[in-house]
């Protein structure tokens, strides 16, 4: 994609044309709010962050900085799995140290204190990413982090975990684990309801997310609500969200839920995106982490933690992987294949497959409603995961199940089984 011409040059715009939206661990996002612009209108700019002591390194290398890897990964890998209509536009643009520094200064008053103490915009970068602004404009938008959409393939589960994992989804077990440790979690929300495609169950999932959002004062990971490009808190909902829901006179926040539900339900039940995401998660995680760990032990013949010494896949490897997955492996049932018969190449395939499954377990969807553009549902945060995370995931998987089983045995957790609507497909 062309980087030529001033129309693609954000440094030719005013800093005040960009308004801070939000930030995650790795990037900060600003929305274009300036005069109508051929490239930047309805767009955000995403800039990389770095720890405070590393953000000001001088980059003397004369070579052209490569485009942000998220662009190539989406264009060459994810785009083969998710229809383009459900992906944001991503484009690489040049930036300068001076411009990034001014942008950083402009954001200070809006940044969360905890983030400010840890990191800031990486001034050594010379490129940033322009993406579709999915939360700006005149309407409202909801970001949902749906998480794990399926119950695992029982073929590779141990006798200690099988019953728990076949009756309780990973998210529900994890919520209980988090609550026991004093962390915030959307307790009661079950992703299998959201992914079921059935109106009643999707509504139930939305209600649980809404209740947690209200109860935790908007501080939950799984639901965020934006009005006019800004993240809102429950206390702002009656003033800002109620008129957009056609409930301008509402006096109780929970009275807004039926209208909220009614606006989102058609998008969530009619879209193909959620069933595509669920299918990808399920078929990419064909062995469960337990099967993958056993395969690793068989092939390595030692006790080294899962993934030790392996390099992260290159972009070429990812492209080859996704083509092989689509051609031969998507939807294949591995239940009858003994782990002992699998080669090291197959193990590499399953490790990449697990990493990619995690990308889809960890991504978010943004629903835009009633704004100046058509309603839409878009998947975001689809970056590749790193191999060095595998061992932690393995430990976490064991911890979550063990803690869940303990809570059940002690009698303080009583829950209905989670129902996987897609398990027979
Ligand atoms: Zn569940």
């Amino acid at each position: 994609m062309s980087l030529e011409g001033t129309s693609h040059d954000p440094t030719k715009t005013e800093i005040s044309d960009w308004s801070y939206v939000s930030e995650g661990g790795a990037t900060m996002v600003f929305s274009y709010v300036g005069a109508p612009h051929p490239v930047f209108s309805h767009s955000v700019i995403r800039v990389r962050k770095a720890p405070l002591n590393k953000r000001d390194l001088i980059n003397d290398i004369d070579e052209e900085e490569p485009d942000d890897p998220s662009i190539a990964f989406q264009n060459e890998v994810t785009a083969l799995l998710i229809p383009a209509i459900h992906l944001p536009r991503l484009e690489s643009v040049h930036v300068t140290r001076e411009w990034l520094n001014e942008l950083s200064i402009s954001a200070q008053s809006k940044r969360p204190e905890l983030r400010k103490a840890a990191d800031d915009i990486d001034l050594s970068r010379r490129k940033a990413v322009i993406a579709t602004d999915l939360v700006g404009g005149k309407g409202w938008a909801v970001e949902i982090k749906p998480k794990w959409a399926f119950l695992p393939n029982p073929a590779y589960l141990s006798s200690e975990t099988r019953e728990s994992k076949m009756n309780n989804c990973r998210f529900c077990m994890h919520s209980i684990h988090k609550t026991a440790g004093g962390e915030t979690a959307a307790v009661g929300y079950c992703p299998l309801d959201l992914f079921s495609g059935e109106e009643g169950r999707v509504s139930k999932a939305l209600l649980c997310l809404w209740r947690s959002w209200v109860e935790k004062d908007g501080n939950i990971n799984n639901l965020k609500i934006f009005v006019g490009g800004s993240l809102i808190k429950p206390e702002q909902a009656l003033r800002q969200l109620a008129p957009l829901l056609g409930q301008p006179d509402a006096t109780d926040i929970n009275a807004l839920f039926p209208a909220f539900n009614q606006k989102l339900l058609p998008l969530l039940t009619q879209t193909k995106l959620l069933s595509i995401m669920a299918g990808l998660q399920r078929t990419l995680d064909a062995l469960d982490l337990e099967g993958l760990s056993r395969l690793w032990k068989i092939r390595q013949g030692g006790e080294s933690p899962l993934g030790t010494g392996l390099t992260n896949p290159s972009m070429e490897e990812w492209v080859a992987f996704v083509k092989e997955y689509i051609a031969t492996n998507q939807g294949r049932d591995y239940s009858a294949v003994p782990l002992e018969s699998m080669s090291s190449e197959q193990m590499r395939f399953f490790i990449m497959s697990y990493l990619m499954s995690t990308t889809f377990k960890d991504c978010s969807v943004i629903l835009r409603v009633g704004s100046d553009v058509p309603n839409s549902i878009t998947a975001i945060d689809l970056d590749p995961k790193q191999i060095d995370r595998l061992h932690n995931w393995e430990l976490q998987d064991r911890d979550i199940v063990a803690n869940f089983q303990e809570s059940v045995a002690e009698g303080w957790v009583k829950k209905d089984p989670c129902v996987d609507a897609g398990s027979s497909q």
Side-chain angles (χ1 to χ4, degrees):
M1 209 162 281
S2 167
L3 293 172
E4 304 307 317
T6 52
S7 67
H8 289 256
D9 186 350
T11 68
K12 298 284 190 290
T13 61
E14 300 293 325
I15 287 296
S16 57
D17 291 342
W18 299 92
S19 167
Y20 173 90
V21 180
S22 63
E23 62 193 282
T27 59
M28 207 184 289
V29 178
F30 297 79
S31 165
Y32 181 79
V33 293
H37 187 283
V39 176
F40 300 137
S41 286
H42 306 297
S43 298
V44 293
I45 191 163
R46 204 165 72 202
V47 292
R48 288 273 163 189
K49 302 200 305 182
L52 289 179
N53 59 350
K54 292 196 178 141
R55 65 182 291 251
D56 207 8
L57 300 175
I58 302 292
N59 186 355
D60 280 336
I61 304 165
D62 244 0
E63 283 169 30
E64 170 88 354
E65 181 177 302
D67 287 349
D68 193 286
S70 61
I71 296 181
F73 193 72
Q74 174 165 309
N75 292 344
E76 294 173 39
V77 181
T78 326
L80 301 182
L81 302 171
I82 303 267
I85 192 175
H86 297 302
L87 291 172
R89 168 183 73 104
L90 298 182
E91 185 182 340
S92 187
V93 288
H94 283 294
V95 287
T96 61
R97 168 182 295 268
E98 295 70 33
W99 195 78
L100 288 176
N101 194 37
E102 282 183 52
L103 196 63
S104 148
I105 293 167
S106 78
Q108 291 312 312
S109 64
K110 294 182 182 166
R111 299 187 61 205
E113 293 301 324
L114 276 175
R115 298 279 192 195
K116 265 161 75 171
D119 54 28
D120 205 332
I121 295 176
D122 183 348
L123 300 177
S124 70
R125 298 279 179 156
R126 291 295 157 267
K127 284 189 182 171
V129 178
I130 293 288
T132 318
D133 183 359
L134 296 164
V135 302
K138 294 195 181 89
W140 56 289
V142 168
E143 179 178 335
I144 297 177
K145 207 189 230 307
K147 303 298 286 184
W148 296 45
F150 66 104
L151 295 175
N153 177 354
Y156 300 99
L157 301 180
S158 63
S159 54
E160 291 83 42
T161 65
R162 186 174 293 122
E163 202 196 328
S164 301
K165 283 190 174 180
M166 293 318 296
N167 285 299
N168 303 281
C169 79
R170 160 63 184 245
F171 182 89
C172 287
M173 288 194 284
H174 198 188
S175 302
I176 286 160
H177 181 68
K178 279 185 173 171
T179 313
E183 281 182 69
T184 305
V187 177
Y189 162 67
C190 175
L192 304 192
D193 288 332
L194 187 79
F195 283 101
S196 69
E198 295 166 28
E199 280 196 11
R201 292 184 64 190
V202 177
S203 281
K204 181 179 169 231
L206 278 177
L207 179 61
C208 292
L209 289 174
W210 174 270
R211 279 185 180 149
S212 291
W213 182 75
V214 172
E215 208 174 288
K216 312 288 181 199
D217 195 27
N219 294 316
I220 58 164
N221 241 343
N222 304 91
L223 178 70
K224 290 176 184 163
I225 301 176
F226 297 85
V227 174
S230 299
L231 187 66
I232 63 159
K233 290 260 185 194
E235 66 195 26
Q236 297 164 298
L238 285 175
R239 195 161 36 87
Q240 298 191 20
L241 183 61
L244 298 170
L245 293 174
Q247 309 286 317
D249 303 322
T251 51
D252 171 10
I253 185 164
N254 285 316
L256 298 182
F257 179 75
F260 177 83
N261 181 47
Q262 205 181 15
K263 297 270 188 197
L264 295 180
L265 255 191
L267 265 176
L268 289 168
T269 53
Q270 288 160 23
T271 182
K272 291 205 164 53
L273 178 62
L274 292 182
S275 63
I276 292 171
M277 277 170 57
L280 288 167
Q281 288 188 20
R282 184 192 306 276
T283 54
L284 286 162
D285 182 1
L287 306 184
D288 190 80
L289 203 43
E290 289 187 46
L292 193 61
S293 297
R294 288 220 324 271
L295 177 56
W296 171 261
K297 286 199 172 68
I298 292 166
R299 292 261 60 91
Q300 297 303 107
E303 286 301 312
S304 64
L306 179 58
T308 307
L310 295 184
T311 51
N312 278 313
S314 64
M315 196 56 70
E316 292 70 34
E317 219 184 333
W318 275 122
V319 173
F321 164 82
V322 78
K323 288 182 177 160
E324 188 184 343
Y325 164 73
I326 291 167
T328 62
N329 290 281
Q330 192 166 19
R332 183 170 157 192
D333 181 8
Y334 288 97
S335 309
V337 184
L339 293 173
E340 288 73 11
S341 71
M342 291 183 187
S343 64
S344 295
E345 289 71 36
Q346 278 174 306
M347 180 176 76
R348 176 87 180 166
F349 178 90
F350 281 114
I351 284 177
M352 289 181 67
S353 191
Y354 192 82
L355 293 179
M356 185 156 247
S357 162
T358 308
T359 292
F360 292 111
K361 289 164 184 162
D362 216 23
C363 73
S364 293
V365 295
I366 297 205
L367 302 117
R368 305 188 73 174
V369 191
S371 58
D372 38 356
V373 293
N375 291 354
S376 63
I377 176 163
T378 310
I380 60 158
D381 294 343
L382 291 162
D383 290 346
K385 301 289 178 189
Q386 308 288 310
I387 273 184
D388 64 7
R389 305 276 299 279
L390 278 169
H391 183 50
N392 277 341
W393 291 335
E394 190 183 27
L395 299 176
Q396 193 187 31
D397 183 65
R398 272 183 229 153
D399 260 17
I400 287 172
V401 180
N403 180 276
F404 175 78
Q405 290 174 336
E406 215 176 282
S407 306
V408 172
E410 286 168 5
W412 69 271
V413 167
K414 282 194 178 61
K415 68 181 282 296
D416 294 330
C418 304
V419 179
D420 184 350
S423 60
S424 57
Q425 286 168 11

